[in-house]
Amino acid sequence: AHIATKQRQHRSWAAAVNQGLQRALPFALLLTFLCVISASTRIFKTFLCDAFVFDDGDAADEFTPVYRSYLHDDYSLNCSSSEYKRSRSWAYALIALWPAGIPVMYSLLLIFNRKAICNRAPNELSRSIGFLHRDYNTQHFWWEPIELLRKLTLTGVPLLIGTGKESARVILALLVSLFFLVVHLVRRPFKRSVDNWLYAAIQLALTLIYL
């Protein structure tokens, strides 16, 4: 009897924890959605260094310039220093957590619940992640991670292109915007027609800005 009571208590505790996690999941998703772009941009900026020419006698001759690179957001940090190398190592780890990890997490949550979403037979978990799929039609329930990748590509990836190559950044942003505009016009993932037209108009405006 004592063992049976403990088993019931354990099941009750596990059920309470599971229910609590499902209730907290929508708020956690909203928090990651609000923070992922800014956090990822900050991470990518770790790799953005500005090079300067110095004339301090270190050159082999007067015709050989000496270049030193400093972190774009903090010119007190030399990009050749051990402190910067440690920061860059942390940035690599944080890439796995934010710009790579969040889209993967969204994708896994949607894949695990695809039957409940596509069959319109919601369960507790699919309702908890409704934030990710409720605006899309059932054929495109997976679209939110794709949209997040578009945002990350436009805001973060261009920062990996070195300074002095602004034209390359603009070309990348133009190609990404144009690609997603075409894909959107073909797929039309939103449930409401007005959302599809509004999204297309925004993408067209972005494309024209980059031209």
Side-chain angles (χ1 to χ4, degrees), residues 154 169-181 207 210:
L154 285 176
R169 296 178 183 177
V170 173
I171 291 173
L172 174 62
L174 173 62
L175 293 176
V176 170
S177 297
L178 185 59
F179 172 78
F180 276 93
L181 172 61
T207 304
Y210 293 127

Side-chain angles (χ1 to χ4, degrees), residues 43-64:
I43 293 168
F44 283 126
K45 282 186 175 181
T46 306
F47 304 95
L48 187 59
C49 292
D50 295 335
F52 298 93
V53 179
F54 281 78
D55 183 14
D56 55 5
D58 289 342
D61 56 67
E62 61 180 341
F63 301 107
T64 305

Side-chain angles (χ1 to χ4, degrees), residues 50-125:
D50 295 335
F52 298 93
V53 179
F54 281 78
D55 183 14
D56 55 5
D58 289 342
D61 56 67
E62 61 180 341
F63 301 107
T64 305
V66 175
Y67 291 94
R68 292 177 184 167
S69 297
Y70 294 88
L71 187 64
H72 180 78
D73 281 355
D74 184 4
Y75 282 160
S76 67
L77 184 59
N78 191 314
C79 290
S80 299
S81 66
S82 58
E83 182 182 357
Y84 171 75
K85 291 178 181 178
R86 286 194 299 269
S87 299
R88 189 174 58 184
S89 299
W90 276 106
Y92 282 124
L94 291 173
I95 285 176
L97 178 64
W98 281 100
I102 298 300
V104 169
M105 181 185 71
Y106 287 178
S107 300
L108 291 176
L109 287 170
L110 290 168
I111 289 172
F112 290 153
N113 289 274
R114 63 185 182 277
K115 290 184 178 180
I117 296 170
C118 294
N119 296 333
R120 295 185 176 87
N123 53 38
E124 289 295 329
L125 185 55

